[in-house]
Amino acid sequence: MVVFVLAFSFYFYYKCSGLFVLMLAGTSLVDWFLSRAIIKPGISKTWRKACVALSLALSLGILAYFKYANFFLWNINAMVGGNFQPLDLILPVGISFYTFQSVSYIVDVYKGRVAPTQTWLEYAFFLAFFPALVAGPIVRADYFIPQIRQNRHATRDEVYLGLWLILLGVLKKAVIADYIAQYNDLIFANPGGYSGFETLMGIIGYTMQIYCDFSGYSDMAIGIALIMGFKLAPNFNFPYKAQNLTDFWHRWHISLSTWLRDYIYIPLGGNRKGTARTYINNFATMLIGGLWHGAAWKFVFWGAMHGAGLAVHKAGKPYMNRLGNSWWLNALCWLTTMATVAALWVFFRADSFKDSITIISSVFSDFSLSYAPAFASARMLWLILMIIIVVAHAMPTKFWDNASQWFIKSPWVVKLIAFVIVVQLVIELKGEDVAPFIYFQF
């Protein structure tokens, strides 16, 4: 099974990124040899560190070249006033995700948190597992490699739970996210060209779109893996229920936020070196997280503002605790968090930093509720889908746990009907062009 799935994973990546599959295979081979060298009896600590440094330099160097070379060259050119021609680079799909897995594996082997795999096949399987290869969740070695060795088969309930997650993911991505994106794209393609009300709807729409798009992919990846007998860690936990940015990052892209915590924030000192250092570490970690998402100043700003927001929350937490726990305070905290997250998503989505400022400014400079009736008439289905995802997101977690159990235990005909309905919705609401997953670009 390991050989078959690994071969398919490489083929899958070949169809996504062509001959870059050779780079993935080569990286995995070098990492495996270095991980074995780290634990070799009699090797000195200096050589062990050298092996780690070589692996990190290779993995991060390749990532930096493909993802950040033009960004750094463009900024150098701007400072010296030259005539810069961008390098003709194609970003390999999923390189950021499997690079982080490679880094965590080597560091964990060095720290003794995980034993290196006995064979290259096991490590390559871990690195290239196709459901999580191109857009996560980011897989951790200590969680996933033992499952490879168990070679277990999925139970009947796990197969049906996997199907449930796949159907939910398709609904989120191919039905809701792709449809509401059609309006959102109009707003972001023409900054300042729409009224403040219309622009605000586009911002809120993208806030829901990116959640449905990315969490939909995560659901599908986790569901496919579960059907194959593998468990991937949850990647989303209703992030828009968060009442502060700290809570938001405990719920959003969990595999990335925990990776940043364990391999950047904690090594920087975490919260062990005083209050001021804690704030700096938070800021630096989110700054790196922003740069991980893309080679542009708008992503740096996005990460920096989240880092600043985390520091503000930690600084204000003692004062907020004195106010007690009341519904109005919880509502205010939630509204403030959502406004911050939605506004920062503008920098994530807009084509440039300048466009982001224009879009946000237009909300305040030309806002009028008089546009609402015409908008509702023209965009009724858009509003219905938005309401559905808001209500679904607001439902208690227990409701969705019970719904999944009901689906698992339901007769096969119910599962077939659910499948047909989802497929029909995809056909009815599909756009003219195939919409790629948002996180494929990272």
Side-chain angles (χ1 to χ4, degrees):
M1 177 182 176
V2 170
V3 175
F4 175 78
V5 175
L6 177 59
F8 181 83
S9 295
F10 279 140
Y11 176 74
F12 174 81
Y13 194 71
Y14 169 74
K15 298 301 290 184
C16 292
S17 291
L19 292 180
F20 284 124
V21 67
L22 299 177
M23 184 175 68
L24 172 61
T27 298
S28 67
L29 194 60
V30 172
D31 278 345
W32 182 74
F33 276 115
L34 290 174
S35 69
R36 299 298 302 176
I38 290 173
I39 65 161
K40 189 175 181 180
I43 189 173
S44 67
K45 188 173 183 179
T46 300
W47 279 107
R48 292 177 65 230
K49 288 183 177 180
C51 290
V52 174
L54 179 58
S55 175
L56 297 183
L58 176 66
S59 297
L60 297 178
I62 292 174
L63 176 64
Y65 173 71
F66 282 102
K67 197 166 185 176
Y68 305 108
N70 279 324
F71 175 66
F72 288 117
L73 290 174
W74 182 87
N75 282 281
I76 292 172
N77 175 78
M79 289 187 289
V80 301
N83 184 22
F84 171 62
Q85 296 297 323
L87 300 176
D88 187 18
L89 298 176
I90 299 175
L91 182 66
V93 174
I95 187 172
S96 298
F97 289 91
Y98 75 72
T99 296
F100 271 24
Q101 289 186 198
S102 169
V103 169
S104 65
Y105 173 78
I106 288 294
V107 172
D108 285 351
V109 169
Y110 175 76
K111 296 286 188 180
R113 298 170 185 156
V114 64
T117 61
Q118 294 295 322
T119 67
W120 170 76
L121 288 176
E122 284 185 337
Y123 177 66
F125 188 104
F126 154 74
L127 196 65
F129 186 53
F130 74 91
L133 176 59
V134 295
I138 298 172
V139 181
R140 301 285 278 272
D142 58 346
Y143 180 79
F144 190 74
I145 290 178
Q147 298 183 52
I148 302 174
R149 295 166 180 161
Q150 290 172 2
N151 195 24
R152 61 183 292 272
H153 296 284
T155 65
R156 178 179 176 275
D157 284 359
E158 287 175 338
V159 171
Y160 290 144
L161 178 58
L163 177 61
W164 165 261
L165 290 172
I166 292 170
L167 292 178
L168 276 184
V170 172
L171 274 174
K172 287 180 182 180
K173 162 59 182 171
V175 177
I176 297 177
D178 287 357
Y179 184 84
I180 64 177
Q182 297 175 42
Y183 172 75
N184 304 337
D185 290 346
L186 296 175
I187 298 299
F188 284 93
N190 186 16
Y194 293 86
S195 68
F197 178 84
E198 292 169 315
T199 301
L200 179 60
M201 291 299 100
I203 294 173
I204 297 174
Y206 183 72
T207 300
M208 295 302 170
Q209 176 195 341
I210 192 172
Y211 166 72
C212 290
D213 189 290
F214 194 19
S215 70
Y217 178 90
S218 294
D219 288 343
M220 285 185 270
I222 294 169
I224 293 171
L226 195 58
I227 289 174
M228 297 171 62
F230 297 95
K231 295 181 180 180
L232 300 180
N235 210 25
F236 288 87
N237 182 23
F238 302 99
Y240 293 152
K241 289 182 178 181
Q243 295 186 357
N244 54 71
L245 286 182
T246 301
D247 189 26
F248 174 79
W249 281 104
H250 287 159
R251 296 169 175 267
W252 178 276
H253 201 348
I254 299 170
S255 63
L256 174 64
S257 59
T258 54
W259 193 99
L260 292 172
R261 179 198 65 197
D262 294 344
Y263 298 99
I264 296 179
Y265 177 70
I266 292 178
L268 286 175
N271 59 0
R272 305 185 305 274
K273 298 187 177 182
T275 302
R277 182 64 180 270
T278 298
Y279 298 158
I280 293 173
N281 292 341
N282 268 317
F283 185 81
T285 301
M286 292 309 301
L287 201 64
I288 293 172
L291 193 59
W292 174 87
H293 280 88
W297 286 112
K298 62 174 187 170
F299 290 113
V300 175
F301 179 81
W302 176 82
M305 289 300 97
H306 271 284
L310 291 174
V312 169
H313 170 247
K314 282 183 169 54
K317 189 175 181 180
Y319 303 99
M320 296 294 293
N321 290 340
R322 296 175 188 173
L323 296 176
N325 186 20
S326 58
W327 71 266
W328 64 267
L329 182 60
N330 292 335
L332 180 61
C333 290
W334 173 83
L335 184 61
T336 303
T337 301
M338 282 302 303
T340 302
V341 169
L344 290 176
W345 280 138
V346 175
F347 294 89
F348 200 89
R349 170 61 179 84
D351 291 335
S352 67
F353 189 90
K354 180 180 178 182
D355 287 351
S356 303
I357 299 298
T358 300
I359 290 170
I360 293 175
S361 298
S362 65
V363 174
F364 297 96
S365 62
D366 184 27
F367 183 85
S368 174
L369 288 177
S370 62
Y371 288 92
F375 180 88
S377 177
R379 301 286 175 181
M380 182 57 68
L381 182 55
W382 186 91
L383 284 172
I384 290 173
L385 292 177
M386 287 287 291
I387 291 172
I388 288 174
I389 190 60
V390 169
V391 171
H393 196 85
M395 296 295 289
T397 304
K398 187 176 180 180
F399 170 84
W400 292 109
D401 292 338
N402 292 336
S404 65
Q405 291 302 311
W406 173 85
F407 181 84
I408 290 170
K409 296 175 182 178
S410 64
W412 69 266
V413 68
V414 173
K415 298 179 178 67
L416 178 61
I417 292 173
F419 176 81
V420 171
I421 290 175
V422 171
V423 171
Q424 190 60 36
L425 285 172
V426 172
I427 294 172
E428 292 294 329
L429 298 182
K430 69 178 181 179
E432 295 182 359
D433 301 318
V434 176
F437 289 95
I438 292 174
Y439 265 71
F440 273 17
Q441 64 184 295
F442 306 127

